[in-house]
């Protein structure tokens, strides 16, 4: 349903609602055909005809436009050095995130690798949390301590955000194990790329998922390149939906949000009754592997622009909306402007968010126990003697220490590394 | 009676246990004083049983934990009692089932993942460290991982280089993990219960050769609510001349060494570390400040070992109190050989500890 649009403020009446109220079309069902029929392995594929509503179409459009805008904004932020380290962008693949969300609930779990910004948004994450986390600020979803690859939203059923290629697949099967153990009647979508599809631990986890009938759905987002290596150079068999052998699989056009929605709905029903299933989403990323990869040394610009012209997911939805007369060109353009404004506002707010407090260096290492205390001799500082202490002597700040305000400028960044300055506290 | 002895001999696992030892075990049990005796194996089994009974979220997963009753019989009887949903036999796929365990912990269950030995944990070490230890920090507290990884660690008898490594130092280096190393049955019960109840990922390093050993055990320890605090070492033997730190099997060796040293007028204090991470630096330092001399004992490789960390912490905090250089007894810096004489030389023996303590007291030769 309308997860992202629901979050817009009351003041900001969405154009989709405005459009629909004038056209009184919001609930009448529409049937769309997926771009291509599904290819199936060891299972009967679902139908190509997908039921939808005008509301859903407009929501898909808006949500994907928001995701696209967010990723492009992240690109600029990275180039202006506000985002550091790794930044893996998802533009081009939005249909997978949006179509999946439309088929499931927040009680179902999603786990993915490092290309996680848009999935985070789909699971209920806000733009502010995303941008603040990318810039390492304390209003980020992981309070600035995770970074681009470690977004989480547990209450939305999003378990990250993982940097080690392939590790998320056994973790996802573990989530499914726990769902079955707790008799929850929900499923887990463990997402991975064509590069990760060759990982051994995938097959280890898949074997156990099949043995124990876990409600696990393995979703291969096949964007045809594992970093700089094309799929034909990395995999003897690029039919990733068949790799499960005894586990059924479905190949889906990942640029078609309705095909994704249909496949995920089908997979959820299957997994709850029969155990694991593999979905291969045929998709494409416009950016390189990450911001340090131009993305054009191993593929041609013609290929990239070709996909953009023929298969762009947002274009597809736009054409559907226009052909079903659900909105005018101008209204869709206005939606895009609105989305752009929303993103710009979130970035401005995120830029104002401060860096995490230095004391956060040592929090959350454990759930239970073991913080640090100040070096005792520094704790007993006499304020009048403050001038005696050089700036090399650094302090860990606690909220209940009044010295905080005075010495905040004297903090040298080396105190985490200087063992003489710290004492670990035992419970 | 012979039937009981043979049964006892059989259930002590893979070692060829002769009848004589079986008789001795019975004799000890039958004729010992009022203090009860319990093997480490039974201590671990009872701890698992009680924690599984107390919390339905606790489950065991690993190779041979169910129908085989446990490779070392630690999970004996648990499949019958709790069923295959809670005592899960896995294929031989450590990376896979360790990852599945961590994923289940993300969701809120409390897995106890058994590695047949910690040597095989290297197949799954990415999940232990990157998926389990670091998650609470990377997610700023959103994703906690209440998991226990347990199994035998360190050298056994004649199992060769690939099956004898000690992982205390490797796992002890990782912020986000808690690493425990029990010695006695009391340690085994108390620390395993604490580990299962703990909301953080715990690496629980047992010792295969200790499984069959019996220790006296009090009624307090047998109580189902008993547990030991994580991060507190135990002073097994008070002394004033030299501090000897050890963990797991080496605690027994250190105590034997202390007896020998006592006959020569050296009164050794033996510290059973119990927890490798977080290391009980205050107990170690207080002891060194009292005795002024330190010998660290461990089975693992010497470079970057637990002893190296203890030495560094004592030098950082109690340098002025040291009267002699810190002595370090560790396993030999070689892969574990198979031949019995070489193996004996590769692992610390009681005489090594005695010699080192005497050196620390400037009493050698």
């Amino acid at each position: 349903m309308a997860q992202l649009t629901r979050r817009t403020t009351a003041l900001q009446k969405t154009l989709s609602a405005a459009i629909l109220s004038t056209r009184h079309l919001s609930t009448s069902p529409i049937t769309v055909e997926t771009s291509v029929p599904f290819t199936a392995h060891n299972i009967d594929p679902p139908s190509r005809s997908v039921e939808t509503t005008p509301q859903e179409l407009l929501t898909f459009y808006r949500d994907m436009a928001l995701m696209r805008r967010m990723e492009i904004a992240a690109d600029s932020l990275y180039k202006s050095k506000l985002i550091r380290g790794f930044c893996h962008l998802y533009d081009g693949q939005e249909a997978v995130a949006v179509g999946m969300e439309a088929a499931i609930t927040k009680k179902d779990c999603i786990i993915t690798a490092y290309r996680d910004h848009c999935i985070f948004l789909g699971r209920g994450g806000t733009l502010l949390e995303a941008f603040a986390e990318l810039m390492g600020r304390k209003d980020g979803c992981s309070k600035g301590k995770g970074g681009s690859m470690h977004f989480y939203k547990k209450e939305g059923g999003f378990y990250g955000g993982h940097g080690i290629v392939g590790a998320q697949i056994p973790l996802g099967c573990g989530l499914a194990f726990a769902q079955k153990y707790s008799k929850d009647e929900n499923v887990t979508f463990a997402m991975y790329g064509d590069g990760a599809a060759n990982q051994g631990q995938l097959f280890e986890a898949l074997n156990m998922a099949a043995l124990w009938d876990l409600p696990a759905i393995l979703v291969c987002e096949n964007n045809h390149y594992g970093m700089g290596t094309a799929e034909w150079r990395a995999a003897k068999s690029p039919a990733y939906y068949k790799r499960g052998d005894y586990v059924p699989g479905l190949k889906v056009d990942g640029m078609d949000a309705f095909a994704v929605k249909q496949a995920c709905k089908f997979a959820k029903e299957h997994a709850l009754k029969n155990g694991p299933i593999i979905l291969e989403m045929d998709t494409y990323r416009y950016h390189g592997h990450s911001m340090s990869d131009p993305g054009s040394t191993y593929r041609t610009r013609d290929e990239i622009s070709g996909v953009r012209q023929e298969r762009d997911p947002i274009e597809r939805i736009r054409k559907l909306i226009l052909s079903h007369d659900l909105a005018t060109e101008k209204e869709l353009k206005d939606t895009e402007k609105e989305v752009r404004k929303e993103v710009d506002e979130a970035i401005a707010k995120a830029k104002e968010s401060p860096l995490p407090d230095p004391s956060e260096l040592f929090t959350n290492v454990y759930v239970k126990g073991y913080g640090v205390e100040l070096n005792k001799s520094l704790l007993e500082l006499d304020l009048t003697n403050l001038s005696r202490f050089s700036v090399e002597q650094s302090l860990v700040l606690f909220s209940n220490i009044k010295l905080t305000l005075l010495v905040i400028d004297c903090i040298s960044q080396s105190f985490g590394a200087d063992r003489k300055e710290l004492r670990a506290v035992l419970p | 009676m012979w039937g009981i002895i043979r049964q006892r001999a059989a259930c002590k696992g893979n070692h060829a246990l002769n009848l004589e030892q079986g008789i001795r075990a019975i004799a000890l049990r039958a004729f010992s004083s009022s203090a009860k005796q319990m093997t480490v194996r039974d201590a671990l089994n009872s701890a698992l049983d009680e924690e599984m009974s107390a919390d339905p979220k606790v489950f065991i997963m690993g190779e041979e934990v169910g129908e085989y009753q446990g490779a070392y019989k630690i999970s004996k009887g648990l499949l019958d009692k709790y069923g295959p949903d809670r005592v899960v036999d896995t294929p031989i796929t450590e990376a896979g089932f360790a990852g599945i365990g961590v994923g289940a912990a993300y969701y809120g269950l409390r897995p106890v993942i058994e590695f047949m030995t910690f040597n095989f944990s290297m197949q799954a070490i990415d999940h232990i460290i990157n998926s389990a230890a670091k998650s609470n920090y990377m997610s700023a507290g959103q994703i906690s991982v209440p998991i226990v990884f347990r199994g035998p660690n360190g050298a056994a008898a004649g199992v060769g280089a690939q099956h004898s490594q000690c992982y205390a130092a490797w796992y002890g280096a990782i912020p986000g993990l808690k690493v425990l190393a029990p010695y006695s049955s009391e340690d085994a019960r108390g620390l395993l219960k604490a580990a299962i109840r703990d909301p953080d990922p715990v690496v629980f390093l047992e010792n295969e050769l200790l499984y069959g050993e019996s220790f006296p055990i009090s009624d307090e320890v047998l109580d189902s609510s008993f547990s030991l605090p994580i991060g507190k070492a135990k002073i097994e033997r008070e002394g004033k001349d030299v501090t000897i730190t050890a963990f797991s099997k080496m605690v027994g060796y250190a105590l034997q060494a202390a007896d020998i040293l006592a006959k020569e007028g050296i009164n050794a204090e033996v510290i059973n570390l119990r927890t490798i991470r977080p290391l009980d630096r205050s107990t170690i330092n207080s002891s060194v400040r009292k005795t002024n001399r330190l010998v660290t004992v461990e089975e693992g490789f010497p470079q970057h070992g637990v002893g190296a960390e203890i030495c560094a912490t004592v030098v950082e905090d109690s340098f002025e109190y040291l009267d002699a250089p810190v002595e370090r007894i560790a396993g030999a810096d070689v892969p574990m050989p198979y031949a019995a004489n070489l193996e004996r030389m590769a692992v610390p023996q009681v005489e090594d500890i005695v010699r080192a303590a005497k050196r620390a007291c400037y009493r050698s030769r």
Side-chain angles (χ1 to χ4, degrees):
Chain A
M1 282 291 286
Q3 304 99 334
L4 295 177
T5 37
R6 215 181 269 140
R7 274 201 319 284
T8 55
T9 63
L11 292 169
Q12 207 177 8
K13 190 170 186 211
T14 64
L15 273 156
S16 46
I19 294 164
L20 294 168
S21 60
T22 53
R23 289 204 169 79
H24 311 289
L25 288 172
S26 41
T27 50
S28 49
I30 300 176
T31 309
V32 293
E33 288 260 298
T34 64
S35 59
V36 289
F38 297 101
T39 325
H41 168 74
N42 280 353
I43 199 167
D44 290 324
S47 145
R48 268 181 88 172
S49 301
V50 187
E51 289 275 302
T52 183
T53 65
Q55 173 70 41
E56 185 170 64
L57 268 157
L58 291 164
T59 308
F60 273 15
Y61 184 81
R62 193 182 200 284
D63 289 352
M64 287 200 278
L66 190 71
M67 290 175 178
R68 178 69 59 93
R69 194 69 231 133
M70 171 180 75
E71 296 295 74
I72 295 187
D75 177 303
S76 320
L77 288 174
Y78 192 90
K79 286 176 176 145
S80 46
K81 297 204 197 291
L82 283 163
I83 298 177
R84 307 176 316 121
F86 293 123
C87 190
H88 305 86
L89 299 176
Y90 199 73
D91 52 315
Q93 300 183 212
E94 299 89 350
V96 178
V98 160
M100 189 181 287
E101 280 302 329
I104 64 176
T105 71
K106 292 290 190 284
K107 291 246 173 343
D108 297 308
C109 303
I110 298 182
I111 193 167
T112 187
Y114 41 76
R115 209 175 294 280
D116 58 347
H117 308 161
C118 299
I119 312 244
F120 169 74
L121 226 54
R123 292 263 89 186
T126 65
L127 286 170
L128 174 61
E129 284 176 323
F131 284 118
E133 186 60 36
L134 287 171
M135 296 196 271
R137 309 298 173 96
K138 71 182 236 254
D139 289 322
C141 54
S142 304
K143 301 206 188 118
K145 289 161 82 164
S148 163
M149 297 188 288
H150 304 296
F151 283 18
Y152 301 86
K153 192 116 198 130
K154 191 167 179 185
E155 64 268 23
F158 180 50
Y159 288 83
H162 293 272
I164 307 295
V165 170
Q168 74 275 20
I169 300 156
L171 294 174
C173 292
L175 291 168
F177 179 95
Q179 286 172 318
K180 184 164 186 192
Y181 187 102
S182 317
K183 302 191 177 21
D184 275 353
E185 293 300 303
N186 292 311
V187 297
T188 297
F189 287 81
M191 304 174 75
Y192 59 100
D194 47 295
N198 300 311
Q199 277 262 318
Q201 57 188 320
L202 187 159
F203 296 95
E204 293 190 15
L206 189 61
N207 174 47
M208 283 184 269
L211 257 180
W212 303 330
D213 290 318
L214 301 182
I217 298 157
L218 272 64
V219 180
C220 179
E221 292 183 278
N222 183 5
N223 57 23
H224 307 286
Y225 295 92
M227 203 158 128
T229 305
E231 63 180 327
W232 59 270
R233 285 212 301 138
K236 186 76 176 167
S237 160
Y240 300 106
Y241 70 107
K242 286 189 185 167
R243 291 277 201 93
D245 184 18
Y246 40 80
V247 171
L250 211 60
K251 185 163 171 167
V252 183
D253 179 1
M255 305 299 255
D256 177 355
F258 289 104
V260 173
K261 177 187 165 193
Q262 182 84 317
C264 291
K265 188 155 161 282
F266 175 77
K268 178 171 174 175
E269 280 161 23
H270 181 273
L272 281 172
K273 283 200 308 274
N274 309 65
I277 181 170
I278 299 181
L279 297 179
E280 180 186 336
M281 306 287 182
D282 187 348
T283 183
Y284 200 84
R285 54 166 162 80
Y286 297 140
H287 269 87
H289 164 72
S290 71
M291 286 304 298
S292 12
D293 170 27
S296 49
T297 56
Y298 47 87
R299 46 185 198 174
T300 61
R301 290 191 202 278
D302 284 340
E303 180 189 294
I304 304 171
S305 53
V307 175
R308 216 188 262 275
Q309 269 171 345
E310 320 262 312
R311 298 178 67 205
D312 185 271
I314 301 179
E315 262 312 297
R316 166 179 221 88
I317 301 290
R318 176 203 292 272
K319 287 199 186 101
L320 273 170
I321 290 176
L322 293 173
S323 72
H324 285 272
D325 214 15
L326 303 174
T328 63
E329 280 272 5
K330 182 180 177 304
E331 279 162 348
L332 292 179
K333 272 254 167 339
D334 287 341
T335 306
E336 282 185 26
K337 282 209 196 95
E338 215 183 271
V339 148
R340 205 187 171 112
K341 186 156 164 283
E342 210 179 308
V343 166
D344 289 340
E345 278 168 10
I347 292 179
K349 203 145 173 258
K351 281 182 181 167
E352 282 168 30
S353 172
L355 289 168
D357 195 279
S359 63
E360 291 286 338
L361 181 65
F362 291 101
T363 58
N364 305 126
V365 177
Y366 297 108
V367 172
K368 182 173 160 198
Y370 323 115
V372 279
E373 62 176 27
L374 284 180
N375 182 311
K376 289 244 159 56
S377 60
L378 291 174
L379 240 190
E380 280 140 20
L381 266 207
D382 182 353
L383 293 180
T384 60
N385 288 325
L386 198 58
S387 54
R388 279 207 287 118
F389 290 88
S390 67
V391 289
E392 275 83 61
Q393 275 166 332
S394 38
L395 297 165
V396 177
L397 299 174
F398 282 92
S399 51
N400 59 356
I401 290 172
K402 292 167 205 158
L403 296 172
T404 302
L405 296 164
L406 271 169
V407 300
I408 194 159
D409 293 318
C410 304
I411 297 164
S412 99
Q413 294 306 306
S414 67
F415 76 85
D418 189 348
R419 295 299 303 262
K420 289 282 185 179
E421 297 298 317
L422 305 167
R423 294 285 181 274
V425 177
L426 295 168
Chain B
M1 157 116 149
W2 291 108
I4 297 172
I5 292 169
R6 235 176 294 142
Q7 198 184 49
R8 282 282 156 87
C11 82
K12 283 207 175 170
N14 300 347
H15 300 287
L17 193 61
N18 54 30
L19 236 34
E20 193 194 30
Q21 275 176 280
I23 296 169
R24 211 180 298 136
I26 300 288
L28 265 170
R29 177 76 59 121
F31 300 120
S32 63
S33 60
S34 54
K36 292 195 199 68
Q37 295 272 331
M38 191 184 230
T39 60
V40 171
R41 177 178 288 112
D42 289 340
L44 294 167
N45 183 278
S46 61
L48 285 169
D49 191 352
E50 285 162 22
E51 292 306 305
M52 284 182 80
S53 157
D55 185 351
K57 293 208 179 102
V58 178
F59 70 93
I60 300 179
M61 183 180 264
E63 294 153 13
E64 311 295 4
V65 293
E67 291 191 15
Y68 196 84
Q69 307 297 320
Y72 299 99
K73 304 292 179 270
I74 307 297
S75 51
K76 185 160 193 265
L78 297 178
L79 175 66
D80 285 337
K81 196 165 172 190
Y82 297 103
D85 285 345
R86 295 185 70 191
V87 181
V88 184
D89 279 328
T90 64
I92 309 175
T93 49
E94 276 78 6
F97 69 73
I100 286 180
V102 176
Y106 282 0
Y107 197 78
L109 298 186
R110 306 190 82 96
V112 177
I113 302 296
E114 177 175 305
F115 290 118
M116 202 179 280
T117 76
F118 264 91
N119 299 282
F120 314 141
S121 74
M122 291 200 285
Q123 307 236 294
I125 200 166
D126 176 61
H127 280 297
I128 299 173
I129 295 176
N130 281 323
S131 305
K134 298 179 183 171
S135 282
N136 197 60
Y137 192 82
M138 291 193 295
S139 67
Q142 266 190 81
I143 310 279
S144 71
V145 191
I147 195 168
V148 176
F149 297 103
R150 51 158 292 273
N153 175 59
V159 292
Q162 291 179 341
H163 289 75
S164 306
Q165 191 166 331
C166 173
Y167 291 86
W170 282 25
Y171 291 123
I174 310 300
L177 280 184
K178 294 176 182 166
V179 180
L180 304 179
Y183 162 60
S184 63
S185 303
E186 178 183 328
D187 290 355
R189 252 183 79 81
L191 292 176
L192 186 54
K193 278 164 161 299
I196 295 174
R197 294 177 200 171
D198 199 278
D200 291 305
V202 180
V203 168
F204 193 82
L205 304 171
E206 301 161 4
N207 187 295
E208 195 211 309
L209 299 174
L210 284 176
Y211 283 153
E213 263 196 52
S214 265
F215 294 87
I217 202 154
S218 69
D219 286 332
E220 190 204 342
V221 175
L222 287 170
D223 188 75
S224 65
S225 62
F226 175 71
S227 85
L228 287 171
I230 294 180
K232 283 303 289 162
K234 180 183 179 199
I235 306 209
E236 293 281 349
R237 184 189 200 283
E238 295 245 356
K240 57 176 182 54
D241 293 329
V242 60
T243 299
I244 305 177
T245 64
F247 61 93
S248 188
K249 187 154 185 299
M250 292 292 117
V251 176
Y253 282 29
L255 289 168
Q256 288 179 49
D259 287 337
I260 295 172
L261 288 164
K263 295 197 189 85
E264 309 204 18
I266 299 176
N267 192 353
E269 178 150 295
V270 175
I271 299 182
N272 172 5
L273 292 175
R274 282 182 169 174
T275 304
I276 305 296
R277 185 175 186 101
L279 203 52
D280 188 352
R281 297 169 203 273
S282 63
T283 299
I284 297 168
N285 276 289
S286 314
S287 174
V288 171
R289 287 180 187 208
K290 184 173 72 167
T291 65
N292 310 122
R293 294 162 206 279
L294 176 61
V295 176
T296 68
V297 184
E298 65 191 299
E299 264 195 314
F301 297 134
Q303 190 165 339
H304 314 299
V306 174
E309 175 60 28
I310 293 176
C311 177
T313 207
V314 162
V315 163
E316 276 169 5
D317 291 338
S318 313
F319 183 68
E320 313 80 51
Y321 293 83
L322 283 170
D323 283 347
V326 175
E327 294 285 342
R328 199 168 40 151
I329 293 294
D333 201 13
V334 298
M336 184 66 66
Y338 168 66
N341 62 329
L342 296 180
E343 187 185 41
R344 198 179 181 282
M345 291 197 291
V347 173
Q349 304 296 335
V350 175
E351 47 267 30
D352 294 317
I353 306 174
V354 170
R355 198 185 315 117
K358 282 184 180 168
R359 272 202 309 261
C361 297
Y362 296 135
R363 295 264 302 272
S364 52
R365 305 205 193 289

